[in-house]
Amino acid sequence: MMAVRAVNGGSLFRSAASPPLLTFGCRFRQFSSLTFRRNSELGLRFPIFCCGNQFLGYGGGLSRSVHSLVDCVMEELTAWRSRRRIRATVKLTTSGELLEDKLVNQEIEKGLLLEFKKDSDRVLLGVAQRPDGKKNWMVYDQNGVTSSIKPQQITYIVPGVENFDHAEISKFLQKAQENLDPTLLEIAWVELLEKNASVTAEELAEMIFGSSEPLESYCAHLLLSKDEVYFTVLAAKGSRTIYGPRPTGQVEELLHKKLAKDAAEKELQDFVQLLVSAKAKPALAKPPKSSWMLDEKIQYKIESLEAYAIDACKSDEQRKTAGMILKAMGLTKTASSALNLLINIGYFPVHVNLDLLKLNILTDHSDEIIAAAESLLSDSSDSDEMNREDLTHLKVYAIDVDEADELDDALSATKLQDGRMKIWVHVADPTKYVEPGSMVDREALRRGTSVFLPTGTYPMFPEKLAMEGMSLKQGELCNAVSVSVILHSDGSIAEYSVQNSIIKPTYMLTYESATELLHLNLEEEAELKILSEAAALRLKWRRQQGAIDTSTLEARIKVVNPEDLEPSINLYVENQADPAMRLVSEMMILCGEVVATFGSCNNIPLPYRGQPQSNIDVSAYSHLPEGPVRSSAIVRIMRAAEIDFRKPIRHGVLGLPGYVQFTSPIRRYLDLLAHYQVKAFLRGESPPFSAGQLEGMASIVNMQVRVVRKLSASSLRYWIIEFLRRQPREKKFHALILRFIKDRIAALLLVEVGLQASAWVSTGSQVGDEVEVQVEEAHPRDDVLYLKEVLRN
């Protein structure tokens, strides 16, 4: 049998039962510099060695006496053995022999050097110290730790060792690692395969190292136990294992897999280095997100991490890939680890909106949709041009939040000679551009609604079409659907009309500026005062019809440069009872009542909204302070809204016999559906959708609307908590006690930020009382906000 011994960094081949191979006149190079040739019979590679001044390559023809070392050795060995006819000193177990003789385990004794499994991932070397009970042993391992192990944990007992000094374990391991050369297995495999023989670690050591001393035996054990290509376990008992050579075809297949695995591991390590490099860079120097998309394999890995971070892996392979990356980075396999890693490399901003990613909200429009929208904008035709009422003589107020991009409603008012008030609610007319079933319409249906977040807006229609085409614009002629109403002196509807119109908006006001104008009571803004009086009259009338006031404080946030480390946060708290907000909401409710009445009178299928509240006794809450506290108590027992598509149903909360949302067709798809239906009637055509079709589309839209509401609420809460996190610890906030959750833990409304939270409050405090609190902890990513009551002297 052949044997190989590493001598001074070189390589020596010999047979255990044959004369040294130096007698064959061969000289040898270091394994690290070998080139390889393939064996023509076995289809495998062997190293090429020098023999004198000639080269020997296994499997090649003779050229200047070119032979492989293996051929040379085999020929010489065959001739030599024929002459000597003696047996090799290394006994190999062939297929005809019993394996049991080689599976006899050595008894564990003090001082033995043994390898054992510490856990599923770690194998350690240690020295047996003393018995621990009947079967277990205390061992001192390579890390200097003494522990108790079971016999079944032992994977190998190094032979020929007695009273091993545990201080020498590390040196022993280092020497073993230095002597490991997996290429030696390939040569041993060839010989064993030819003889159909099995082998133990000690026998392999004799073959490849020329010795079965402790170090050589352990090296052979490491080579065999870690090998995944050439050898397989034939039998094992305790710490003894017998290996056999795999068939040639299987080895070829495993070599191919190993090459692929090695390539994948290198690919992983290269990617890990990219991550490490990106982490180390300062914030402004980190690679842009787009740079991770340039290479297909890198893109797959980074997207696997992203999917892992938001718990949205599309396959087990993607989950496995992310797990391997996290493990290679020394991180735990958790979504938070993946998230923090992506933030640390600059792929995600610090304040990335995870819900936006998790809920798969559509943000950008496709190139195809944008192109279709551009085409619609370029078409100036208007099928309703001949039927539009010219209302450009009216003073028109558009009132909305200051950052509103889509302005889809405006108001006008006048007083008639008989003293009654006439109101116009002008609603943008997107049906000038989109038709039911068109590409742009289908995309709007898929989205269901525009998405308004503190960090940005994602419109239902492509931005240019929504802003430049559909939206109302100050000082410009705009197509609209105008709902006009004449009110009785008690606030009920006396007359109404619904018509196509052309308007010219006069003012674009924020709620704050509209409130200021109302307080100034300017003569030149008499129309705004009429609107305010009409709103007050309508509110009084609705309350008489059983309407329930649910006005409260509502936060609104605008985040500037949200991808910065510390983006600017602009927070506004809106009181829904504010005069301008009350004015606008009452006019929108009035418009909804008119459209429901119009639809009912003309048998138009529409999304009629209702909310039965026959079981609410408002007087039961009269002891609570009017405003947020009372509203909170009532809202908690309100029943869910309902929709009927054939006829109006009572809306108990609004105090109306019927109601249709109509005033936001650029932002809400159900409002757009109402426009399609009403506009068809105004043209003398049949409505494009039946009640059943409306119901089907509404189910799609409402599902998406619920998702968007969840996203909007979580995003708003995140930024309010981030706002609070930045405030000085000593800052005090006013809070209204809305109710008690348990004992003295109360649900609070933070007045300055419009956020509901909870905190322990002192004895004596009642629902409706105001207390002062301070922020103890605020962690927006974990949705954690701890408040502490500030006790007053």
PDB file of all heavy atoms in Angstrom, residues 696-717:
ATOM      1  N   GLY A 696     -69.442  43.988  -6.066  1.00  0.00           N
ATOM      2  CA  GLY A 696     -68.219  43.227  -6.298  1.00  0.00           C
ATOM      3  C   GLY A 696     -66.989  44.111  -6.272  1.00  0.00           C
ATOM      4  O   GLY A 696     -65.968  43.759  -5.659  1.00  0.00           O
ATOM      5  N   MET A 697     -67.069  45.258  -6.937  1.00  0.00           N
ATOM      6  CA  MET A 697     -65.926  46.173  -6.951  1.00  0.00           C
ATOM      7  C   MET A 697     -65.691  46.775  -5.573  1.00  0.00           C
ATOM      8  O   MET A 697     -64.540  46.964  -5.146  1.00  0.00           O
ATOM      9  CB  MET A 697     -66.153  47.274  -7.993  1.00  0.00           C
ATOM     10  CG  MET A 697     -66.038  46.773  -9.432  1.00  0.00           C
ATOM     11  SD  MET A 697     -66.149  48.092 -10.666  1.00  0.00           S
ATOM     12  CE  MET A 697     -67.896  48.450 -10.600  1.00  0.00           C
ATOM     13  N   ALA A 698     -66.763  47.053  -4.865  1.00  0.00           N
ATOM     14  CA  ALA A 698     -66.628  47.653  -3.532  1.00  0.00           C
ATOM     15  C   ALA A 698     -65.928  46.701  -2.574  1.00  0.00           C
ATOM     16  O   ALA A 698     -65.156  47.133  -1.703  1.00  0.00           O
ATOM     17  CB  ALA A 698     -68.001  48.032  -2.982  1.00  0.00           C
ATOM     18  N   SER A 699     -66.174  45.393  -2.708  1.00  0.00           N
ATOM     19  CA  SER A 699     -65.507  44.437  -1.821  1.00  0.00           C
ATOM     20  C   SER A 699     -64.001  44.458  -2.049  1.00  0.00           C
ATOM     21  O   SER A 699     -63.216  44.338  -1.096  1.00  0.00           O
ATOM     22  CB  SER A 699     -66.063  43.035  -2.045  1.00  0.00           C
ATOM     23  OG  SER A 699     -65.750  42.567  -3.352  1.00  0.00           O
ATOM     24  N   ILE A 700     -63.580  44.611  -3.307  1.00  0.00           N
ATOM     25  CA  ILE A 700     -62.151  44.703  -3.631  1.00  0.00           C
ATOM     26  C   ILE A 700     -61.567  45.981  -3.036  1.00  0.00           C
ATOM     27  O   ILE A 700     -60.515  45.977  -2.393  1.00  0.00           O
ATOM     28  CB  ILE A 700     -61.940  44.679  -5.159  1.00  0.00           C
ATOM     29  CG1 ILE A 700     -62.403  43.344  -5.743  1.00  0.00           C
ATOM     30  CG2 ILE A 700     -60.468  44.938  -5.514  1.00  0.00           C
ATOM     31  CD1 ILE A 700     -62.424  43.311  -7.256  1.00  0.00           C
ATOM     32  N   VAL A 701     -62.271  47.077  -3.258  1.00  0.00           N
ATOM     33  CA  VAL A 701     -61.788  48.379  -2.798  1.00  0.00           C
ATOM     34  C   VAL A 701     -61.721  48.437  -1.276  1.00  0.00           C
ATOM     35  O   VAL A 701     -60.718  48.888  -0.701  1.00  0.00           O
ATOM     36  CB  VAL A 701     -62.698  49.505  -3.328  1.00  0.00           C
ATOM     37  CG1 VAL A 701     -62.346  50.841  -2.674  1.00  0.00           C
ATOM     38  CG2 VAL A 701     -62.574  49.619  -4.843  1.00  0.00           C
ATOM     39  N   ASN A 702     -62.774  47.979  -0.607  1.00  0.00           N
ATOM     40  CA  ASN A 702     -62.812  48.078   0.853  1.00  0.00           C
ATOM     41  C   ASN A 702     -61.718  47.253   1.515  1.00  0.00           C
ATOM     42  O   ASN A 702     -61.187  47.627   2.570  1.00  0.00           O
ATOM     43  CB  ASN A 702     -64.182  47.642   1.372  1.00  0.00           C
ATOM     44  CG  ASN A 702     -65.253  48.683   1.104  1.00  0.00           C
ATOM     45  OD1 ASN A 702     -64.952  49.877   0.995  1.00  0.00           O
ATOM     46  ND2 ASN A 702     -66.490  48.240   0.972  1.00  0.00           N
ATOM     47  N   MET A 703     -61.354  46.138   0.889  1.00  0.00           N
ATOM     48  CA  MET A 703     -60.257  45.333   1.416  1.00  0.00           C
ATOM     49  C   MET A 703     -58.956  46.127   1.385  1.00  0.00           C
ATOM     50  O   MET A 703     -58.191  46.146   2.349  1.00  0.00           O
ATOM     51  CB  MET A 703     -60.112  44.050   0.589  1.00  0.00           C
ATOM     52  CG  MET A 703     -59.151  43.033   1.173  1.00  0.00           C
ATOM     53  SD  MET A 703     -59.033  41.561   0.131  1.00  0.00           S
ATOM     54  CE  MET A 703     -60.746  41.043   0.085  1.00  0.00           C
ATOM     55  N   GLN A 704     -58.719  46.810   0.258  1.00  0.00           N
ATOM     56  CA  GLN A 704     -57.510  47.615   0.141  1.00  0.00           C
ATOM     57  C   GLN A 704     -57.561  48.835   1.052  1.00  0.00           C
ATOM     58  O   GLN A 704     -56.548  49.216   1.645  1.00  0.00           O
ATOM     59  CB  GLN A 704     -57.326  48.056  -1.327  1.00  0.00           C
ATOM     60  CG  GLN A 704     -56.045  48.803  -1.612  1.00  0.00           C
ATOM     61  CD  GLN A 704     -54.802  47.952  -1.453  1.00  0.00           C
ATOM     62  OE1 GLN A 704     -54.887  46.735  -1.273  1.00  0.00           O
ATOM     63  NE2 GLN A 704     -53.654  48.579  -1.507  1.00  0.00           N
ATOM     64  N   VAL A 705     -58.732  49.432   1.188  1.00  0.00           N
ATOM     65  CA  VAL A 705     -58.890  50.612   2.052  1.00  0.00           C
ATOM     66  C   VAL A 705     -58.569  50.254   3.499  1.00  0.00           C
ATOM     67  O   VAL A 705     -57.915  51.032   4.217  1.00  0.00           O
ATOM     68  CB  VAL A 705     -60.312  51.185   1.932  1.00  0.00           C
ATOM     69  CG1 VAL A 705     -60.581  52.208   3.039  1.00  0.00           C
ATOM     70  CG2 VAL A 705     -60.506  51.836   0.565  1.00  0.00           C
ATOM     71  N   ARG A 706     -59.005  49.088   3.945  1.00  0.00           N
ATOM     72  CA  ARG A 706     -58.702  48.660   5.320  1.00  0.00           C
ATOM     73  C   ARG A 706     -57.197  48.520   5.534  1.00  0.00           C
ATOM     74  O   ARG A 706     -56.665  48.896   6.584  1.00  0.00           O
ATOM     75  CB  ARG A 706     -59.414  47.341   5.632  1.00  0.00           C
ATOM     76  CG  ARG A 706     -60.893  47.488   5.916  1.00  0.00           C
ATOM     77  CD  ARG A 706     -61.473  46.215   6.502  1.00  0.00           C
ATOM     78  NE  ARG A 706     -61.525  45.138   5.520  1.00  0.00           N
ATOM     79  CZ  ARG A 706     -62.551  44.919   4.701  1.00  0.00           C
ATOM     80  NH1 ARG A 706     -63.618  45.707   4.742  1.00  0.00           N
ATOM     81  NH2 ARG A 706     -62.521  43.910   3.849  1.00  0.00           N
ATOM     82  N   VAL A 707     -56.512  47.982   4.530  1.00  0.00           N
ATOM     83  CA  VAL A 707     -55.055  47.838   4.618  1.00  0.00           C
ATOM     84  C   VAL A 707     -54.394  49.205   4.708  1.00  0.00           C
ATOM     85  O   VAL A 707     -53.483  49.430   5.519  1.00  0.00           O
ATOM     86  CB  VAL A 707     -54.516  47.048   3.405  1.00  0.00           C
ATOM     87  CG1 VAL A 707     -52.989  47.084   3.367  1.00  0.00           C
ATOM     88  CG2 VAL A 707     -55.007  45.613   3.440  1.00  0.00           C
ATOM     89  N   VAL A 708     -54.846  50.129   3.877  1.00  0.00           N
ATOM     90  CA  VAL A 708     -54.259  51.473   3.853  1.00  0.00           C
ATOM     91  C   VAL A 708     -54.531  52.201   5.167  1.00  0.00           C
ATOM     92  O   VAL A 708     -53.657  52.915   5.688  1.00  0.00           O
ATOM     93  CB  VAL A 708     -54.796  52.280   2.654  1.00  0.00           C
ATOM     94  CG1 VAL A 708     -54.396  53.749   2.753  1.00  0.00           C
ATOM     95  CG2 VAL A 708     -54.287  51.681   1.347  1.00  0.00           C
ATOM     96  N   ARG A 709     -55.711  52.021   5.734  1.00  0.00           N
ATOM     97  CA  ARG A 709     -56.020  52.656   7.024  1.00  0.00           C
ATOM     98  C   ARG A 709     -55.089  52.140   8.119  1.00  0.00           C
ATOM     99  O   ARG A 709     -54.604  52.913   8.948  1.00  0.00           O
ATOM    100  CB  ARG A 709     -57.479  52.391   7.401  1.00  0.00           C
ATOM    101  CG  ARG A 709     -58.482  53.267   6.667  1.00  0.00           C
ATOM    102  CD  ARG A 709     -59.895  52.923   7.054  1.00  0.00           C
ATOM    103  NE  ARG A 709     -60.866  53.748   6.350  1.00  0.00           N
ATOM    104  CZ  ARG A 709     -62.154  53.478   6.276  1.00  0.00           C
ATOM    105  NH1 ARG A 709     -62.634  52.385   6.881  1.00  0.00           N
ATOM    106  NH2 ARG A 709     -62.981  54.263   5.606  1.00  0.00           N
ATOM    107  N   LYS A 710     -54.858  50.850   8.097  1.00  0.00           N
ATOM    108  CA  LYS A 710     -53.930  50.253   9.062  1.00  0.00           C
ATOM    109  C   LYS A 710     -52.540  50.841   8.894  1.00  0.00           C
ATOM    110  O   LYS A 710     -51.870  51.190   9.879  1.00  0.00           O
ATOM    111  CB  LYS A 710     -53.899  48.740   8.864  1.00  0.00           C
ATOM    112  CG  LYS A 710     -52.936  48.014   9.794  1.00  0.00           C
ATOM    113  CD  LYS A 710     -52.939  46.514   9.516  1.00  0.00           C
ATOM    114  CE  LYS A 710     -51.915  45.797  10.398  1.00  0.00           C
ATOM    115  NZ  LYS A 710     -51.881  44.341  10.111  1.00  0.00           N
ATOM    116  N   LEU A 711     -52.100  50.960   7.653  1.00  0.00           N
ATOM    117  CA  LEU A 711     -50.781  51.538   7.368  1.00  0.00           C
ATOM    118  C   LEU A 711     -50.714  52.990   7.820  1.00  0.00           C
ATOM    119  O   LEU A 711     -49.733  53.404   8.456  1.00  0.00           O
ATOM    120  CB  LEU A 711     -50.490  51.438   5.866  1.00  0.00           C
ATOM    121  CG  LEU A 711     -49.275  52.212   5.355  1.00  0.00           C
ATOM    122  CD1 LEU A 711     -47.982  51.637   5.932  1.00  0.00           C
ATOM    123  CD2 LEU A 711     -49.225  52.179   3.830  1.00  0.00           C
ATOM    124  N   SER A 712     -51.719  53.763   7.509  1.00  0.00           N
ATOM    125  CA  SER A 712     -51.731  55.186   7.874  1.00  0.00           C
ATOM    126  C   SER A 712     -51.686  55.361   9.383  1.00  0.00           C
ATOM    127  O   SER A 712     -50.947  56.217   9.900  1.00  0.00           O
ATOM    128  CB  SER A 712     -52.979  55.870   7.297  1.00  0.00           C
ATOM    129  OG  SER A 712     -52.992  55.791   5.885  1.00  0.00           O
ATOM    130  N   ALA A 713     -52.461  54.548  10.097  1.00  0.00           N
ATOM    131  CA  ALA A 713     -52.496  54.655  11.554  1.00  0.00           C
ATOM    132  C   ALA A 713     -51.143  54.284  12.171  1.00  0.00           C
ATOM    133  O   ALA A 713     -50.641  54.984  13.059  1.00  0.00           O
ATOM    134  CB  ALA A 713     -53.596  53.759  12.114  1.00  0.00           C
ATOM    135  N   SER A 714     -50.542  53.184  11.702  1.00  0.00           N
ATOM    136  CA  SER A 714     -49.260  52.755  12.268  1.00  0.00           C
ATOM    137  C   SER A 714     -48.151  53.745  11.929  1.00  0.00           C
ATOM    138  O   SER A 714     -47.266  54.003  12.750  1.00  0.00           O
ATOM    139  CB  SER A 714     -48.891  51.362  11.761  1.00  0.00           C
ATOM    140  OG  SER A 714     -48.647  51.367  10.364  1.00  0.00           O
ATOM    141  N   SER A 715     -48.197  54.323  10.722  1.00  0.00           N
ATOM    142  CA  SER A 715     -47.171  55.294  10.319  1.00  0.00           C
ATOM    143  C   SER A 715     -47.276  56.568  11.144  1.00  0.00           C
ATOM    144  O   SER A 715     -46.262  57.124  11.592  1.00  0.00           O
ATOM    145  CB  SER A 715     -47.312  55.622   8.829  1.00  0.00           C
ATOM    146  OG  SER A 715     -47.184  54.457   8.046  1.00  0.00           O
ATOM    147  N   LEU A 716     -48.511  57.030  11.340  1.00  0.00           N
ATOM    148  CA  LEU A 716     -48.727  58.240  12.144  1.00  0.00           C
ATOM    149  C   LEU A 716     -48.245  58.019  13.578  1.00  0.00           C
ATOM    150  O   LEU A 716     -47.546  58.863  14.150  1.00  0.00           O
ATOM    151  CB  LEU A 716     -50.208  58.609  12.129  1.00  0.00           C
ATOM    152  CG  LEU A 716     -50.597  59.873  12.901  1.00  0.00           C
ATOM    153  CD1 LEU A 716     -49.958  61.108  12.284  1.00  0.00           C
ATOM    154  CD2 LEU A 716     -52.113  60.024  12.950  1.00  0.00           C
ATOM    155  N   ARG A 717     -48.582  56.867  14.129  1.00  0.00           N
ATOM    156  CA  ARG A 717     -48.177  56.567  15.508  1.00  0.00           C
ATOM    157  C   ARG A 717     -46.655  56.492  15.614  1.00  0.00           C
ATOM    158  O   ARG A 717     -46.067  56.978  16.590  1.00  0.00           O
ATOM    159  CB  ARG A 717     -48.822  55.252  15.953  1.00  0.00           C
ATOM    160  CG  ARG A 717     -48.514  54.894  17.404  1.00  0.00           C
ATOM    161  CD  ARG A 717     -49.292  53.674  17.863  1.00  0.00           C
ATOM    162  NE  ARG A 717     -48.911  53.304  19.218  1.00  0.00           N
ATOM    163  CZ  ARG A 717     -49.434  53.841  20.317  1.00  0.00           C
ATOM    164  NH1 ARG A 717     -50.360  54.766  20.211  1.00  0.00           N
ATOM    165  NH2 ARG A 717     -49.023  53.451  21.510  1.00  0.00           N
TER     166      ARG A 717
END
